[in-house]
Amino acid sequence: MTDPQDQTGAHRVFEILHEPDWFTGLTEREARLLDGALAFHCLVRPGERIRATVLRTDGPHLPKLTDDATASIEWPDDRAVVGTIEAHATGHPVSTTGVVDVVLDLGGPPQSLMRMEQPPGRLHAARNAARRRSPVAFDVLRQLRTDRLENRRLSRPIPRVGRLHEATFGSSRGSTKAVLFGLHWLELGGAEKWAAATIDMAREAGLLPIVISDRPSGHPDIEHSTFDDALVIPLTHPMSGQHESRLLSQLFERFDIRGVHVHHCTWLYQRLPWIRAQYPGTDLIDSLHVLEWRTGGFVDIALRLSNVMDAHHVISPQLRDYLVDRQGLPREKVQLATLSGLTTDRTAADARPAPTRKVGDPLTIAFVGRFTQQKRPYLFLRLAAHLRKTHGDRVRFVMHGDGELASEVRSHRSRLGLDAVVELRGPDQPVPRTLDEADLLVISSDNEGVTLTSFEADAHGTLVLSSDVGSQASVVVPDLLLPRAPLAFLRKGEALVAALLDDPDRTAELLDRQHERVSAFAALPDARDWTRALYERWAS
């Protein structure tokens, strides 16, 4: 377990005045959440004594660590007081004039937080009820709206913030070389898996990782070894503007932050102009994964702020072409570097086993991913129901994942009569075993960049059937790309599976073509090589 007193070296930003006995009763996750919250409150109030009342709950409540509510000394009845603790920022004398009280709520256990967040109001409640009852019909309407927004987005430029005049001086900095990272949350799947890899690379280059996250979460992976030697501050909102600027100024004054690397973190994106104005010698870059047609997402934010940024790292040709050809960014500012080898060994993938399924053998079809709206697990279940009705025991199904729609997945599975047909596997079971068993991996997402599971499936000799979204066409055989629209996805998906059932030779031929495409993609510049070179420059 992390003990705040064990913070050593350059990233020790606060000290405990009186170490409490109850601290050893926290889980590792709770201890690190408390670590981050105390770091925040001490940094934004240098010279003050911070007296924190620490709460926890067994219910499905998210942590509240840095927002304005921490100033209130009243809390809901279902919270239990763990204890109190006093701390102050290092580098300042201990205040003798009183204390500042804060209340830090560590929230409930991560398993209680796997739920879909819903905006308040009757309209949203009715919308969510309709989605739960008829997810495919709801998705039909959703995709029609997406088509309209996509066409509109492709036809209009994204406005940019103004360029800043080059400053001849900046604010004072510390001496320890560091990188400031912005993450969505500390749940290491998808984009966050790449963020974790970059944090490890920064450490290897001799740079201290400072990690800020801005998305509400129980942060189940804050205890991952990636964060062992990092200064990690999970933000909760809303915060006062004074605290926001003081947090950043304190970080820059204590550390020599050579660069800022944003991974899907809206709060840090929106503070880049201020950082550029105050600390003009700092490199500002981001990593972009996916175009969000409905909201614009992080790509729109990055485009709006591009004039104050030094480079945009993109993981797919689709993103590069959108930024350069559609939005007019200078080609040299957009760095294409792929994640094809992030979770797979390409050498081992080249030696993947040959398919062994014979005519008459059951076809194993898998879904691997988070149970979220983006991944559309309900579409996989509907496909399974149609195939089971037509082909019976000749098809079997595995759904491997977890997430905010987990309860709905179980409900839909029962409603479709698939309890004995579709096996559910959780994150406690190894994904490679599922891919070894699977003949076909179905990616039913309504949006992606390039899925890591596509590379993992190819390495295990598993054929990928995917919706034609993002840059999936870069790695999936054209014959196996399905329309994004749900009804067309189901029709074509059923036909393709039926054709493969009695033709193992066709499956083997498609696997060879798939491997050629994946290998060609893997020959593009590698994100790890590009990032290591960047961090080595920052560390020099």
Side-chain angles (χ1 to χ4, degrees):
M1 185 177 326
T2 303
D3 187 330
Q5 290 284 54
D6 290 339
Q7 293 189 95
T8 58
H11 73 285
R12 184 167 171 263
V13 299
F14 71 88
E15 290 179 329
I16 303 297
L17 296 178
H18 303 288
E19 185 176 356
D21 294 336
W22 55 261
F23 188 82
T24 56
L26 297 179
T27 66
E28 180 75 12
R29 183 189 67 92
E30 290 173 327
R32 293 197 180 194
L33 290 175
L34 178 56
D35 239 16
L38 289 174
F40 171 86
H41 288 283
C42 290
L43 286 170
V44 301
R45 300 178 178 90
E48 301 279 0
R49 284 167 56 206
I50 305 300
R51 182 170 62 187
T53 304
V54 182
L55 313 176
R56 62 145 68 110
T57 179
D58 292 327
H61 300 292
L62 293 164
K64 298 185 74 64
L65 306 173
T66 67
D67 53 272
D68 292 340
T70 60
S72 172
I73 58 172
E74 179 185 10
W75 49 82
D77 293 343
D78 65 349
R79 303 305 197 272
V81 176
V82 182
T84 62
I85 191 170
E86 288 193 20
H88 78 110
T90 58
H92 296 270
V94 179
S95 172
T96 59
T97 60
V99 298
V100 175
D101 273 293
V102 296
V103 174
L104 306 179
D105 186 350
L106 303 179
Q111 59 270 24
S112 74
L113 302 173
M114 281 292 188
R115 58 178 185 166
M116 193 167 184
E117 288 185 53
Q118 282 300 316
R122 293 181 179 178
L123 178 61
H124 291 295
R127 180 178 180 272
N128 193 44
R131 182 193 58 76
R132 284 197 306 268
R133 282 196 299 268
S134 304
V136 175
F138 186 87
D139 196 41
V140 169
L141 300 175
R142 192 168 182 263
Q143 297 310 319
L144 289 173
R145 179 172 179 267
T146 299
D147 290 342
R148 291 195 298 272
L149 293 174
E150 179 177 348
N151 292 332
R152 186 186 309 166
R153 191 168 298 282
L154 284 172
S155 65
R156 67 177 178 87
I158 304 300
R160 313 278 201 270
V161 300
R163 296 183 185 276
L164 300 181
H165 295 295
E166 288 298 324
T168 56
F169 61 90
S171 302
S172 62
R173 296 171 179 264
S175 58
T176 301
K177 298 173 184 177
V179 182
L180 177 59
F181 291 97
L183 272 64
H184 200 53
W185 49 28
L186 306 179
E187 301 180 22
L188 301 184
E192 288 72 34
K193 192 173 293 184
W194 167 237
T198 63
I199 292 167
D200 288 335
M201 283 186 274
R203 185 183 292 107
E204 291 165 7
L207 298 162
L208 171 70
I210 303 171
V211 180
I212 287 175
S213 68
D214 74 337
R215 176 76 174 172
S217 170
H219 304 297
D221 292 319
I222 193 172
E223 59 193 66
H224 192 277
S225 59
T226 289
F227 305 112
D228 282 356
D229 300 318
L231 172 56
V232 182
I233 304 177
L235 301 180
T236 57
H237 300 281
M239 302 185 302
S240 72
Q242 181 185 29
H243 286 171
E244 292 183 341
S245 61
R246 190 169 291 167
L247 171 66
L248 289 171
S249 62
Q250 280 287 303
L251 290 174
F252 274 89
E253 287 174 21
R254 287 170 175 267
F255 308 105
D256 181 9
I257 297 176
R258 297 298 183 88
V260 176
H261 194 161
V262 185
H263 295 274
H264 290 186
C265 182
T266 302
W267 182 86
L268 191 53
Y269 261 126
Q270 293 173 340
R271 275 115 196 111
L272 294 182
W274 184 86
I275 292 173
R276 175 64 81 203
Q278 294 296 327
Y279 306 96
T282 309
D283 273 4
L284 308 179
I285 69 162
D286 61 1
S287 283
L288 295 169
H289 294 246
V290 60
L291 282 163
E292 299 281 0
W293 297 119
R294 278 183 290 275
T295 64
F298 295 103
V299 173
D300 270 20
I301 297 173
L303 281 164
R304 186 171 64 84
L305 297 167
S306 187
N307 282 341
V308 301
M309 299 182 68
D310 297 285
H312 302 283
H313 163 226
V314 298
I315 68 164
S316 71
Q318 180 215 29
L319 267 174
R320 176 199 58 197
D321 296 344
Y322 176 76
L323 294 180
V324 175
D325 299 336
R326 289 281 186 175
Q327 294 295 335
L329 291 189
R331 184 167 289 271
E332 62 275 10
K333 193 170 188 173
V334 181
Q335 304 294 325
L336 171 63
T338 77
L339 303 179
S340 60
L342 182 62
T343 58
T344 58
D345 179 350
R346 294 311 306 165
T347 303
D350 290 338
R352 73 199 191 287
T356 58
R357 195 178 71 86
K358 303 182 294 296
V359 174
D361 288 347
L363 187 76
T364 300
I365 305 172
F367 172 103
V368 176
R370 290 173 63 83
F371 295 163
T372 63
Q373 180 67 44
Q374 176 196 347
K375 305 292 184 181
R376 299 195 293 189
Y378 52 83
L379 207 55
F380 178 86
L381 285 170
R382 186 61 62 90
L383 178 64
H386 291 182
L387 291 169
R388 179 71 174 187
K389 182 177 180 181
T390 305
H391 303 289
D393 291 339
R394 298 188 64 200
V395 286
R396 62 181 292 262
F397 305 91
V398 178
M399 292 191 76
H400 196 145
D402 200 0
E404 58 197 29
L405 297 183
S407 62
E408 293 183 20
V409 165
R410 289 189 290 270
S411 174
H412 292 321
R413 184 179 68 148
S414 296
R415 191 186 313 162
L416 293 169
L418 298 174
D419 283 342
V421 176
V422 176
E423 179 186 353
L424 296 181
R425 295 180 182 174
D428 58 324
Q429 301 187 58
V431 169
R433 180 165 72 87
T434 297
L435 293 176
D436 281 337
E437 294 177 19
D439 301 296
L440 190 65
L441 175 72
V442 173
I443 297 173
S444 50
S445 307
D446 78 338
N447 200 18
E448 289 290 355
V450 181
T451 62
L452 295 177
T453 49
S454 294
F455 303 112
E456 294 164 1
D458 183 71
H460 286 265
T462 304
L463 200 58
V464 178
L465 186 72
S466 174
S467 48
D468 187 5
V469 294
S471 207
Q472 284 294 96
S474 301
V475 294
V476 177
V477 178
D479 309 45
L480 300 180
L481 287 169
L482 306 179
R484 181 177 66 196
L487 298 182
F489 175 98
L490 292 170
R491 283 194 299 270
K492 187 174 180 182
E494 288 181 66
L496 283 171
V497 172
L500 294 174
L501 264 173
D502 293 317
D503 196 350
D505 291 339
R506 171 68 168 158
T507 300
E509 182 254 331
L510 288 168
L511 268 172
D512 288 338
R513 289 172 57 192
Q514 172 181 286
H515 191 64
E516 289 174 3
R517 296 180 78 84
V518 171
S519 297
F521 192 88
L524 294 170
D526 182 81
R528 290 169 300 181
D529 293 340
W530 181 79
T531 305
R532 284 193 187 101
L534 175 71
Y535 291 172
E536 287 168 5
R537 177 169 62 82
W538 287 355
S540 64

